[in-house]
Amino acid sequence: MNDSILQTSNFIKDIIEKDKANNHDLTIMTRFPPEPNGYLHIGHAKSAYINFSLAKENNGICNLRFDDTNPTKENQIFVNSIKDDLAWLGLKWEKPTRYASDYFDKLYDFAKTLILNGDAYVCDLTPEEIRTFRGTLTNPGIDSPYRNREISENIELFEQMKNGCYEEGSRVLRTKIDMSSGNLNLRDPVIYRIIKTPEHHRTKNKWQIYPTYDFAHGQADSIEGVTHSICTLEFEDHKPLYDWLLEKLKIHHPQQIEFARLNLSFTVLSKRKLANLVSEKYVTGWDDPRMPTLAALRRRGYPPVAILNFCAEVGVAKRENTIDISLLEHHVRKELNQTASRILGVIDPVKLIIDNYPSNISETFEAINNPENPKAGTRKIPFSREIFIEKSDFMENPTGKFFRLTIGSEVRLKYAYIIKCTDVVKDPKSKEIVEIHCTYDPLSKGGVATDGRKIKGTLHWVSASDSIPAKIKIYDRLFTIEKPETETDYLKYFNNDSLITKTAQLEPSIISSKEGSNYQFERIGYFVLEKKYSNNNSPIFNQTVSLRDSKK
RNA sequence: UGCCCGAUGGUGUAGUGGUAGCACGUCAGCCUUUGGAGCUGAAAUCCCUGGUUCGAAUCCAGGUCGGGCAGCCA
């Protein structure tokens, strides 16, 4: 994890500071507890970052624990992808990797302890009956008829549940708390249920019963010695149950602290909505570069440190929030500006012919790889009579502050020469400009005017015969509205222009690029090489993020 | 007409009884062989009403508004 990441204070740090002041021997222990039932996204990154950074700043420990208590939803594929994503971010967890399923035996014993103490009972009500008996938000529930079973009968029944004697859904183990509590989580919550298929990804067919989240999470925290169990706001109502179980069991009692999960503008982060985008084919998969998943951001070329810096800067608080996606992009640009190699590439090319430049020669010019980092060195780029420039860099009838090319105006070709536009050739039918004719100032080699005249506009270009065609995928925000998350018909606001594919001409040095390498195409944006060769043998680049562009 | 949580510029986030700070964004200027970056500046904020106090974003009371909770999901 990057040590240079800027940190502001937050209420969790305050709590930890106080706890440390009260107990000088305290070793801070946190954990990141994903359920292996999906891919990690930027919101998980925030949560992971909080847990990992809190441990690191306090010379503590952070575990990675998979919350794998429900085999109907979880599998090994997600365990692997989550580990990959965390490693990619550079977050290092305490070894070994933990699993809630590691504690199934202990959890089973804890449950028996509860039964023996009269704090839990086997209930034969159907799921529907349990729901009815639970009451409503405003009306108290009523006791299950099985609530006062003999302890010995409960023990026997629970053991038979474990042994697979009963059908799924026929019986559960519930705590005995308070059916009239204003907090529904305290109305005798279910702590064990029967699940026979599919088999668990780790414990296989050993268990026929599985603990619920409420029964597994706190106890797992306790077993591991977690001191601060940090989770999102929706678990606030579970905290009294978390505390109740730990007190009844008389075991180490971690402190649960809740914070507000991340929301990002112009995208969605709920698993269901993301899954819909995939299943309804709005995107090509979970790692489609438009998605907010870590796998997608990686493919998009986001540097991990930019994501970490972003997580550090969004802060930790309890109020609902929607972070402006431009803050994320800011951190991506900030990092890439320092690290990405520059190249010249023309995405929407139009041919430019320098009429007074000899057709039988070519020159090479030295280009700076990264003006922010002299150590990145230089490279050669070829120049010739016919080049490509960006269509948008020529305007026949310029309006406002247009510093680029127009008939009669002078402009600098970066690293090369100053040129002056003399004429354009249009397609007779479409009226589209097909050729721009210019003359160059032979004395301006390197782009400097010998007479000291100021040249305001500088264009990027590539030599027509030496450039390399490439496929460019340009991405935009996933949705057209700021908060699609709050809309039920959010798919209506999907941004149909979120992916645009173009063919570009790139300078030849790009040949030596490696997959995953970040580039800045000067004056355009940041790009990452996705695949060296597409079907037609040209490389494919994903746009990471555009350059900020204040052109009017 | 239950229980719990929250409210500081457009968006986030500091502040813990003493000039409301920072970041992103926006706007303007400077600089520039990237209209990028960088530099400088600007506009913009304490949910409301009372109370305590010399002094309140902060403490107290009462409101208002927003969010969460009725899986054998996590």
Side-chain angles (χ1 to χ4, degrees), chain A residues 292-309:
Chain A
T293 56
L294 295 179
L297 297 180
R298 174 167 17 175
R299 201 173 145 196
R300 179 88 177 255
Y302 278 36
V305 67
I307 293 171
L308 259 17
N309 280 324

Side-chain angles (χ1 to χ4, degrees), chain A residues 484-530:
Chain A
E485 195 81 78
T486 60
E487 303 286 332
T488 35
D489 52 353
Y490 62 99
L491 289 171
K492 200 169 86 185
Y493 302 100
F494 179 81
N495 180 6
N496 292 307
D497 297 324
S498 54
L499 168 61
I500 295 170
T501 304
K502 296 195 171 187
T503 306
Q505 294 292 131
L506 307 180
E507 67 165 79
S509 75
I510 203 69
I511 283 285
S512 59
S513 62
K514 293 194 185 76
E515 288 186 17
S517 297
N518 295 103
Y519 289 91
Q520 184 198 97
F521 294 3
E522 293 213 32
R523 303 211 302 136
I524 301 175
Y526 295 99
F527 294 82
V528 65
L529 177 64
E530 171 160 274

Side-chain angles (χ1 to χ4, degrees), chain A residues 394-400 402 405-407 426 433:
Chain A
F394 180 87
M395 226 182 200
E396 211 171 1
N397 302 300
T399 51
F402 185 77
L405 203 57
T406 185
I407 292 178
K426 292 182 188 174
I433 293 169

